[in-house]
Amino acid sequence: MHAEDLAEDFPVITVDSNALDAARVLAEHRLPGILVTGESGKPYAVLPASQVVRFIVPTYVQDDPSLAGVINESWADRAAEKLGNKKVHDVLPEHLTDVPAANADDTIIEVAALMARFRSPLIAVMKDEKLHGVITASRLLDAALRT
């Protein structure tokens, strides 16, 4: 089985998209992450949902999770507002920019190696220099477990 056989249509956003809009796409479709393209339309980065969650949690709470209990609900309701004036490029984790895309004829193991190396929840698949689709970690695991 090759990457093109596993690739599926997947929402894509640009690096200049609004971060709050990206968060809404992630939540609405219950995605593990979203593919980010550059202005040229080529894959640029992967934005994991966990990174967006991390961005809305104050650093001091990340450092000491026991402080989360003292934050009132009205503040928590406004936490996502931090994303409203940010672009996607402002919230991208450095280790997931310039993640190489898989080639359409790559094997499951080659795609898995890319995913593991970059700790990415998804990998773009390119065919004839165009985005063919995306493979999520869960789709890859499903295919690997069936073989």
Side-chain angles (χ1 to χ4, degrees):
M1 186 171 293
H2 294 103
E4 69 182 323
D5 303 321
L6 293 175
E8 51 193 338
D9 288 336
F10 208 79
V12 175
I13 57 172
T14 68
V15 72
D16 291 322
S17 296
N18 180 276
L20 184 56
D21 292 341
R24 286 186 177 124
V25 170
L26 287 164
E28 187 176 306
H29 297 283
R30 300 187 192 287
L31 302 174
I34 194 163
L35 181 65
V36 180
T37 61
E39 292 182 24
S40 67
K42 296 210 185 268
Y44 174 78
V46 173
L47 178 61
S50 59
Q51 179 68 21
V52 177
V53 170
R54 188 169 186 251
F55 189 81
I56 64 173
V57 176
T59 305
Y60 64 88
V61 175
Q62 291 177 41
D63 293 341
D64 184 359
S66 67
L67 295 174
V70 299
I71 295 176
N72 64 34
E73 286 299 316
S74 64
W75 185 93
D77 291 341
R78 293 189 318 270
E81 291 175 8
K82 287 177 61 177
L83 295 171
N85 59 358
K86 302 283 185 199
K87 298 287 184 191
V88 168
H89 64 77
D90 296 325
V91 298
L92 286 173
E94 281 186 36
H95 78 280
L96 287 177
T97 57
D98 298 323
V99 174
N103 295 314
D105 62 350
D106 285 353
T107 66
I108 292 175
I109 296 300
E110 289 172 307
V111 175
L114 272 178
M115 239 179 231
R117 181 170 158 224
F118 287 93
R119 297 181 314 248
S120 178
L122 54 95
I123 293 291
V125 177
M126 301 295 285
K127 184 174 184 178
D128 300 325
E129 297 185 32
K130 293 183 181 170
L131 181 63
H132 180 71
V134 170
I135 300 173
T136 61
S138 58
R139 178 124 167 113
L140 183 81
L141 284 170
D142 182 54
L145 294 173
R146 277 192 269 140
T147 58

